[in-house]
Amino acid sequence: MAELQAAAPATPRRSKFALGDFLREYGVLIIIVILMIGLTFLSPSFLTSRNLLNILNQSAPLALIAAALTLVIISGGFDLSTGAIFGVASVSAAWLAVNVDPTLGMIAGPLLGLLLGLVNGLIITGFNVHSFLATLASSMVYRGIAVLITGGALIPVRMEEFAWLGRGRVGMVNIAVLILLVFTVAMMVLLNRTTFGRRVIAVGGNEEAAILSGVRTKLVRIACFGLTGFAAGLAGIIAVSRISMGQPQAGVGMELEAIAAVILGGTSIYGGAGAVWRSIAGVLLLALIGNGFNILNVNPFFKDLTTGVIIVAAVALSAGKKRR
Amino acid sequence: MKLRLALLTSVAFAGVATTAPAMAQDPFRIAYLASSSQNGYNQAIYAGIQEAAAAKGVEVEIFDGAFDSTKQFSQVEDVVAGGRFDAFIVTPNDTVGIAPALEDATAAGITVVATLFPVGPDLTNMEPQVPGLTTTVAANPAVGARAQAEAVAAYCADKDPCRVAVIIGQLIYPFDNLRNETFKEVLGQHPNIQIVATGEGNYDPDASLTAMQDILQANPEIDAVLSNADQHLIGAEIALSDFGYDPGSVYMIGGGLNQITVDAIRAGTVAATLTEVPHSMGKAALEAAVTTLEGGTAPTWIDPFDLSVTPVIVTKEWLDANPDFTAEWQG
């Protein structure tokens, strides 16, 4: 009896802890659910399969980048060049599609992204430059290349062989959404079920300890940047295929949106902790806000204000997890 | 020996310095302060400037404002301080904020010509609002917007209701706000016309595609799309096609007259666009600057619509009658 009495206070403490932990883990999902309920009541057009699939399709390029960027941020890095890689990959793909072959353009986009991502990783690890500065600089170089390729003009690519990726569907679902699904699962498996994933977390958690444990931290970081570059290139060809148009300014500001989505999903900006699925949820949250504004035809002046408030609310819910 | 050489060098430099101003045959040097040198529209303006400069024997350089008003303000200050240029041609990023820097430039004796937008607080006033500003080569944004809205009203004349979706650049830009207000004012005079939604396209086909998809979700029946920019129609057209509309069954009107839209109008997928002639604007701006530098009097306002062979609103009918027409910029 005495044992039971002594044990009794432990129960409410555990449930309080569990609630806090739940809120921190699922804060972004909670906000998404609240928003979805609100939008469902406000507009009959919102909760339709077509609209929900549209949101997923519209978000696919950003979500691809955010999924891979999660690994970079968990490894303790930052990538400000994803928008520029997106731009240069999309115009390169468009240029190749028009001037050489549409399929070659499709293949070249992600490969070019991979190459540029690896270059980022090599600069960061080879010259020991902080990833923030290195990718800020490389983003300027990559954006410059995009402008040089196009001369600042748009490149129309009105070809069926090129448009299928961005506009094609399997049943009701866009191919871009299926690619996002496969890529997200791949990133989740890579992070949570492989030795590489454990090393990514170890490098971001404590690089020195990782080195002492025999982890080749430079290779891990280079690989993370390579993956993000690949994702940005893949996102680029999906976007350029969708609008049948290469544009040098494509992806401007996308790098910050991707970072915002990852942080919104609760991944620590200090590295060492995070989850790919929550970054995707972060992207969807941002997309839902935009969708809601367009569907309800609300004055766009309120969009930034609302987005900011919702981001603060979501981050506040998951704040405890990020304090280190 | 070293001292003597130094003295000789000094004398030689002094000689050059004193004779330099007397070299009347030195070409004028003119800076083009682009809102962004990486933008196709600005590049077309610069191409016009370069063409006129070559004809006049004038040297020109382009400066990249990177769509950043603060950066452009600093560029004006730097170029004034550098003292290398006799004149500026500016495509302002911030039509109000850049004014003090340009006032300093004109006070320093530099000839300043504005293109695309007037500089000063009133976007509808084409006369110089900055003391010393020579010429403005720009159209009142409300004039073009009114012409576009009237074209939509004409299309809608026999439809009741006539449902119009507006895709505007960004309402935080004063010129886009003015255009949007003009759209609302003109269309508001027709009871049969409903503006069912207003989306922001941010001059980006992808953003316009997203906006149009969302608009169609809430408003499946659309009769017309009215936009200030041709780039928006690229995304709008894709969204309409994906939604099941036949290309050309919705009246779509944009702005900019780029070659991509000219091709789309000829193909029947876009109905019309507002004339813009960046190459001619650049040419006229340089000629006005040189006229002033040579002591002549350039017009205070040059209306780009007067520089164009096209009507204010370009339609398939006009393009069919002018099959050899090509736009002044690609897009």
Side-chain angles (χ1 to χ4, degrees), chain B residues 131-254:
Chain B
L133 191 132
T134 304
T135 304
T136 298
V137 189
N140 176 351
V143 170
R146 183 170 295 280
Q148 288 177 295
E150 283 169 353
V152 171
Y155 169 78
C156 287
D158 300 328
K159 289 181 186 290
D160 191 8
C162 187
R163 288 152 291 217
V164 180
V166 172
I167 309 276
I168 201 83
Q170 276 203 46
L171 289 175
I172 55 164
Y173 297 148
F175 41 85
D176 280 346
N177 211 329
L178 174 61
R179 286 168 174 145
N180 192 45
E181 290 303 317
T182 309
F183 290 162
K184 286 198 287 189
E185 183 214 322
V186 174
L187 298 183
Q189 293 164 6
H190 302 269
N192 63 316
I193 297 178
Q194 296 172 4
I195 299 178
V196 294
T198 303
E200 288 188 313
N202 199 23
Y203 299 91
D204 175 2
D206 204 17
S208 312
L209 170 61
T210 298
M212 196 69 211
Q213 280 178 332
D214 293 347
I215 287 170
L216 285 168
Q217 194 60 40
N219 309 279
E221 291 181 49
I222 297 280
D223 298 294
V225 177
L226 168 57
S227 173
N228 65 303
D230 289 343
Q231 298 96 312
H232 299 159
L233 297 188
I234 296 167
E237 186 208 327
I238 292 168
L240 286 164
S241 298
D242 284 354
F243 205 78
Y245 281 89
D246 286 332
S249 66
V250 172
Y251 182 88
M252 292 206 290
I253 180 167

Side-chain angles (χ1 to χ4, degrees), chain A residues 48 50 58 151 247 291 297, chain B residues 43 198 204 213-214 217 242 331:
Chain A
T48 60
R50 177 164 204 148
Q58 291 163 2
Q247 38 172 354
N291 181 258
N297 198 25
Chain B
Q43 287 189 347
T198 303
D204 175 2
Q213 280 178 332
D214 293 347
Q217 194 60 40
D242 284 354

Side-chain angles (χ1 to χ4, degrees), chain A residues 33-71:
Chain A
V33 170
I34 293 169
L35 254 184
M36 287 185 76
I37 292 170
L39 287 170
T40 304
F41 277 107
L42 289 170
S43 168
S45 314
F46 174 73
L47 202 64
T48 60
S49 55
R50 177 164 204 148
N51 189 48
L52 297 179
L53 285 169
N54 262 351
I55 294 171
L56 279 174
N57 187 38
Q58 291 163 2
S59 314
L62 183 62
L64 282 167
I65 296 174
L69 185 66
T70 310
L71 270 67

Side-chain angles (χ1 to χ4, degrees), chain B residues 11-57:
Chain B
V11 170
F13 271 116
V16 170
T18 51
T19 54
M23 294 168 73
Q25 66 271 40
D26 273 1
F28 292 122
R29 296 183 62 83
I30 299 179
Y32 173 46
L33 304 174
S35 54
S36 165
S37 66
Q38 303 176 2
N39 168 266
Y41 192 96
N42 277 247
Q43 287 189 347
I45 294 177
Y46 188 50
I49 289 172
Q50 285 177 304
E51 186 185 306
K56 297 266 182 193

Side-chain angles (χ1 to χ4, degrees), chain A residues 118-142:
Chain A
L118 292 175
V119 168
N120 277 341
L122 288 168
I123 292 170
I124 290 158
T125 54
F127 298 110
N128 206 20
V129 183
H130 193 282
S131 56
F132 190 95
L133 286 173
T135 56
L136 179 66
S138 66
S139 70
M140 294 176 187
V141 176
Y142 299 161

